[in-house]
Structures are given as structure tokens and as C-alpha cells.
Amino acid sequence: MSTILQRVPLGFQWPTVDPFLFCVHHLDEYPIGNELLGPAASLDGREIGSDFEARDGWRMYHGHEVPGFPQHPHRGFETVTYVRQGLVDHSDSLGAAARYGRGDVQWLTAGSGIVHAEMFPLLESQRPNPAELFQIWVNLARADKMADPFFTMLWAEDIPHLIIDREGRRHGEITVIAGTLEGLAPPPPPPDSWASRVDSDLAIWHVVLQPGGSWIMPAATSTETVRMAYLFAGSGADFDQDRLLSATGAHVRSDRPVTVKADPDSPDEVQILILQGRPISEPVAQYGPFVMNDRAGIEQAFADYRQTGFGGWPWHRDDPTHGHEPLRFARRPDGLIETPSRSQEPAESG
């Protein structure tokens, strides 16, 4: 029986399955930055405010001066943002802020409603500012859709990595963002996340294999688990005897261990994102930034947003950035400051 059950080509937005709603891989070769933390390059010919064309290898997205996504609302699901290169400046309607990247993950439960901005500041003024990140949307169960908004920082220093060594040779490395793998457990997700349920079997693994390197992907813990593998870098890999080529996603069997082997003849490493989980199996109604269970829930989300603004926007502009220093930090709504190198402490006054 085939290990790969279905193949799908990877465009800008990758196809997902329940409990995942959305996955996109942002890869932008930004030039040097200017004093405003935007690109020191002409923006002529770009559709500013909605620039997704990757002209010259980068996009402004919805940004006008700084690339990124100025304030916008969410309700009813979660965003998981895994940043491999560059930095993201987060600001939200609760007054919280963060600058994170270089391997960090932010896991944000929108729940009953939050407005946030995600900007990509270009801090380097003497060299290019490459940026690479994944944003993954995870659905919330009906019982948790109106949970209080909450975000968790998974700092790179705290995220475990499984090193695959065999017979004195390095085969690869796996970043364990969610879901225990060979005894390695990442920091916990937010409390109302589907991933916080023991029986969700939710996992997010970033797999890097050297040419000819192999890894035995374990069987899922639930017979209901659905597993997707996205091969986004490298020429190809074998899943048991089934071949998966570059820029292709696959629905992969999860009921038994699967040997994943990178192409031995390629000079480049293979990179694969694994998303798996037990489906929530509830109706999904989505309209833009809101994900509920029915049309009435969507209409109520719009009505609530018009009336309350999900707490309003406490920032002086729609696209805040957090200065020219590269320090990674998170300031929570209660004023506590968190960084990768020190525990939480009260915010400084002023």
C-alpha cells in the first residue's frame, strides 16, 4: 500500500487539512533597510497596500513603509508564526508587543477576538535583510472559539531539536515546535489551543535532511490523525518507496513508521514541514479573518468587531515597529517583559 496517499503542488498558500486552516511560507530577499526600517529601494511599480508579486525577490504585502501586515482582526482560531530568518514586530489590541525571530515561534490564540499587526522591520542598513517565516492557522474547537485571547512565545533557545546521527554521520535535524518527538517536548501551546488537548496528537515538525540522510518518522498516536508533509526545499525525498519532489505537499500515512530519505544525488539538503493532528471534525465557516462554525457566528463576529473593535487599537499608527535595536522581547498585556535570556520582570516605567 502506498505511503503517499495524495500529492498537491505548493503555491504561495499551501493546502491544509483539519485541524489546520492555512499555511504560507514567506521567503523574501529584502534589500538593505532605511531609517524607517523599510527597504532602501524604490517602491515604484508595486501595488502598495497589497503587494504580493515578489518583484525583485521580495514583497511589501500590506505595508506602506515597512513590509508586513498592519492592524487586522482575528476571531475563532490561532496563528502559529515560525520565523527562521529576520524579525517580526507584533503589536495588538491588548497593548501587548513583541519582537521575535531567528528561530522563535509566536503562538497566538485569537479566541473571542484580537486585532494585531505583524511588521517585518529591516534593521540592517549595510547588508540585505532576508526574511523567512511560516504562518500556520490552527482551528479552535467550538467550545474554545470565544476563549480569551492569549499569546505564548516559544523562544528558539527553548525549542528542542532532534539531531539525527547514525553510524558516525549526521543525517539531519528536526525542530520540534509542537508534539513530542522521541522524548523531546517543546514548550506548551496556549491553554485553550486544540494542541493542548492530550488526544489531539497535534505536531509541527521542521525536518532538515542532508543529501542521502534518512529519518524514521514514527507512527501517530491516534488512528484518526491526519499527516501532511510539505517538501519546500531540495530536489526530493522518498517516503518508504514513494517519491516526493520539490515544491510538493503530500497526505502521508500516519498509522505506521515511515522512512524518509533525502535524494543522495542532490548537492542540497531537503527541508520538509510536517503538520499533523486529529481533526476537530466540526463545521467550519470562514470569512476573511474570522473562523466560526456557521454563518451566524461570522455575522456576529463582524457585528462585535464593528461595535467593540476587539478592545480598540492603542497604538499611534496601524503598523508599529519597535525601534532599531535587535533585542528580541515580549511585553505582555499585564506589563511583564519576557526575553529569551531572562525570566519575566516588570516593565520599566516611562
Side-chain angles (χ1 to χ4, degrees):
M1 183 179 293
S2 295
T3 298
I4 294 178
L5 305 177
Q6 181 183 16
R7 292 173 174 82
V8 289
L10 298 184
F12 179 68
Q13 181 177 334
W14 297 353
T16 56
V17 292
D18 185 5
F20 299 95
L21 299 163
F22 172 93
C23 181
V24 64
H25 179 213
H26 297 278
L27 180 59
D28 292 282
E29 300 293 339
Y30 289 117
I32 62 174
N34 59 27
E35 66 279 0
L36 300 176
L37 304 182
S42 173
L43 300 182
D44 292 345
R46 295 179 181 271
E47 189 174 348
I48 298 302
S50 186
D51 174 27
F52 286 79
E53 289 188 6
R55 180 188 294 261
D56 299 324
W58 52 275
R59 311 164 179 86
M60 289 294 290
Y61 300 105
H62 293 312
H64 290 260
E65 292 178 346
V66 177
F69 298 86
Q71 64 147 315
H72 56 283
H74 291 307
R75 171 180 277 186
F77 65 100
E78 300 183 289
T79 61
V80 180
T81 308
Y82 168 38
V83 185
R84 300 189 62 212
Q85 299 182 77
L87 294 166
V88 174
D89 279 356
H90 164 93
S91 309
D92 67 39
S93 53
L94 304 178
R99 169 167 284 175
Y100 63 99
R102 301 169 183 165
D104 299 328
V105 174
Q106 185 196 67
W107 197 313
L108 172 67
T109 301
S112 61
I114 195 169
V115 182
H116 74 152
E118 303 159 287
M119 307 308 298
F120 310 151
L122 308 184
L123 270 63
E124 298 289 350
S125 60
Q126 302 299 318
R127 58 185 180 183
N129 289 270
E132 181 184 9
L133 64 96
F134 295 90
Q135 184 157 102
I136 302 159
W137 290 11
V138 185
N139 201 8
L140 286 168
R142 185 193 302 268
D144 299 315
K145 284 193 174 293
M146 297 300 286
D148 290 338
F150 190 96
F151 80 80
T152 294
M153 292 305 309
L154 283 62
W155 300 112
E157 290 82 351
D158 300 323
I159 296 174
H161 293 252
L162 175 65
I163 305 301
I164 308 168
D165 286 325
R166 194 175 301 115
E167 298 175 350
R169 178 191 166 206
R170 173 67 63 89
H171 280 243
E173 181 175 345
I174 301 171
T175 305
V176 185
I177 298 166
T180 299
L181 180 64
E182 294 192 23
L184 297 177
D192 295 300
S193 174
W194 181 248
S196 290
R197 303 192 183 197
V198 176
D199 62 350
S200 72
D201 202 20
L202 191 142
I204 302 173
W205 301 326
H206 171 212
V207 181
V208 178
L209 294 176
Q210 301 302 315
S214 64
W215 166 57
I216 300 176
M217 184 164 48
T221 61
S222 170
T223 58
E224 300 176 37
T225 296
V226 179
R227 176 178 284 166
M228 292 292 294
Y230 305 92
L231 200 158
F232 64 92
S235 62
D238 292 326
F239 285 68
D240 290 338
Q241 303 304 313
D242 289 348
R243 187 74 168 158
L244 187 65
L245 298 177
S246 183
T248 307
H251 178 193
V252 179
R253 290 189 63 170
S254 64
D255 60 339
R256 67 186 187 198
V258 172
T259 298
V260 184
K261 184 175 182 179
D263 187 346
D265 299 321
S266 172
D268 302 317
E269 62 189 18
V270 163
Q271 298 193 48
I272 304 166
L273 184 70
I274 304 290
L275 300 181
Q276 74 166 44
R278 184 173 65 83
I280 296 175
S281 299
E282 293 178 351
V284 174
Q286 179 174 353
Y287 193 98
F290 305 138
V291 181
M292 305 303 289
N293 295 110
D294 52 33
R295 182 177 178 82
I298 296 293
E299 292 174 351
Q300 187 63 55
F302 275 101
D304 291 346
Y305 178 58
R306 286 192 295 267
Q307 182 176 1
T308 70
F310 293 162
W313 188 247
W315 303 89
H316 72 286
R317 55 185 297 165
D318 291 341
D319 57 350
T321 54
H322 304 319
H324 289 76
E325 295 297 323
L327 177 68
R328 294 143 59 215
F329 76 96
R331 185 182 71 237
R332 300 184 175 278
D334 60 6
L336 289 178
I337 297 289
E338 178 185 342
T339 71
S341 59
R342 68 178 189 266
S343 59
Q344 294 181 356
E345 57 186 47
E348 296 180 0
S349 61

